[in-house]
Amino acid sequence: MNLQEIDEINKRNIKSSNQFYDLMNKRRTIRRFTSQEVSLEVINQCIKTAGTAPSGANKQPWYFAVIKNSLIKKQIKDAAEKEEFEFYNGKNNDQWLKDLKCLDTNWQKPHLKEASALIVIFSKSHEDEKKSKKCYYSKESVGIATGILITALHQLGISTLTHTPNPMNFLNILLKRPSNEKPFLILAVGYRDYKYKLPDLKRKSLDEICKIY
Ligand SMILES: Cc1cc2nc3c(=O)[nH]c(=O)nc-3n(C[C@H](O)[C@H](O)[C@H](O)COP(=O)(O)O)c2cc1C
């Protein structure tokens, strides 16, 4: 490849990366959804895309439970709200609650029932329930896969809410998942209800998050 060709590729990539930034900069956490359904085929394909993530020793330590059933959604909402109520009324969470104030959130989680689907993402500590084969860097790997999933949905105009009730052990029981899987987070998936007012948040600048050495 000659210098002129390399220069052209770089120019094209700069343009593409700017366009991709503009697209991703529009992603926001959405806390209210419309009743419009997201097709299962689309969700499955986005999960397949998430499954392309790199993982420690290629263990692919993720599992995605997709909930469309209204009754199960309600059970998750009720259990999550119970935990959230305790958190929001807890004594030792003052600083955390202060940090959350700008988001205008509270213990109520209507989106868990409104969302077209809930994707409960599990992280595997071991490959099997007997726990004989370990997975490595599971949290890191599942975090990367989740990022890809959010990106895959966002580029289709589908919104998400990352929800992390704590602890989330009820999800193993409710979804009958084995003990080598730990709930990582719940992703509520749907189309944005434009009546939802987004909190006014600022993203850090490149200088604040990056230094070239
Ligand atoms: C690991 C993680 C957990 C989160 N948990 C919650 C949650 O339980 N409830 C909620 O309303 N938002 C939750 N969020 C969303 C964040 O509040 C949101 O990403 C952040 O305020 C930035 O806003 P943006 O996503 O619109 O850019 C979570 C995000 C992450 C990455």
Side-chain angles (χ1 to χ4, degrees), residues 24-31 84 87-88 96 99-100 102-106 108-109 111 146 150 160-166 184-186 196 198-199 201-203:
M24 290 313 295
N25 195 29
K26 291 196 183 89
R27 185 213 53 79
R28 293 298 310 272
T29 293
I30 296 303
R31 295 181 175 81
E84 292 285 307
F87 169 74
Y88 276 89
W96 198 341
D99 287 338
L100 287 176
C102 61
L103 302 180
D104 200 23
T105 52
N106 59 36
Q108 288 168 307
K109 304 291 161 193
H111 46 258
T146 303
I150 292 171
T160 54
L161 166 71
T162 320
H163 182 78
T164 42
N166 189 21
F184 183 69
L185 52 81
I186 302 172
Y196 169 66
L198 285 170
L201 304 177
K202 296 233 161 5
R203 296 210 155 102

Side-chain angles (χ1 to χ4, degrees), residues 71-86 107 109 112 163 165-171 174 186:
L71 184 64
I72 303 178
K73 278 189 211 165
K74 184 171 181 322
Q75 285 172 311
I76 291 178
K77 175 182 175 283
D78 290 348
E81 283 187 336
K82 194 164 163 269
E83 286 182 353
E84 292 285 307
F85 185 84
E86 279 162 27
W107 63 271
K109 304 291 161 193
L112 290 175
H163 182 78
N166 189 21
M168 296 192 282
N169 300 336
F170 68 89
L171 291 167
L174 191 63
I186 302 172

Side-chain angles (χ1 to χ4, degrees), residues 158-206:
I158 299 165
S159 296
T160 54
L161 166 71
T162 320
H163 182 78
T164 42
N166 189 21
M168 296 192 282
N169 300 336
F170 68 89
L171 291 167
N172 280 73
I173 300 163
L174 191 63
L175 302 171
K176 300 187 177 69
R177 298 308 310 162
S179 62
N180 57 315
E181 292 179 9
K182 205 173 169 309
F184 183 69
L185 52 81
I186 302 172
L187 206 60
V189 174
Y191 290 99
R192 175 180 172 183
D193 181 345
Y194 277 86
K195 287 202 285 291
Y196 169 66
K197 197 172 165 291
L198 285 170
D200 185 16
L201 304 177
K202 296 233 161 5
R203 296 210 155 102
K204 289 182 181 174
S205 69
L206 182 62

Side-chain angles (χ1 to χ4, degrees), residues 105-122:
T105 52
N106 59 36
W107 63 271
Q108 288 168 307
K109 304 291 161 193
H111 46 258
L112 290 175
K113 212 164 153 269
E114 281 170 4
S116 177
L118 300 180
I119 306 178
V120 182
I121 304 170
F122 289 87

Side-chain angles (χ1 to χ4, degrees), residues 42-106:
V42 166
I43 291 176
N44 282 339
Q45 199 58 21
C46 291
I47 291 173
K48 225 167 118 184
T49 307
T52 67
S55 62
N58 190 32
K59 293 287 177 179
Q60 305 174 51
W62 39 70
Y63 193 84
F64 301 87
V66 180
I67 291 104
K68 294 284 287 176
N69 180 291
S70 312
L71 184 64
I72 303 178
K73 278 189 211 165
K74 184 171 181 322
Q75 285 172 311
I76 291 178
K77 175 182 175 283
D78 290 348
E81 283 187 336
K82 194 164 163 269
E83 286 182 353
E84 292 285 307
F85 185 84
E86 279 162 27
F87 169 74
Y88 276 89
N89 293 287
K91 288 199 174 74
N92 303 318
N93 306 323
D94 285 1
Q95 184 57 49
W96 198 341
L97 290 171
K98 247 188 229 162
D99 287 338
L100 287 176
K101 236 188 163 90
C102 61
L103 302 180
D104 200 23
T105 52
N106 59 36

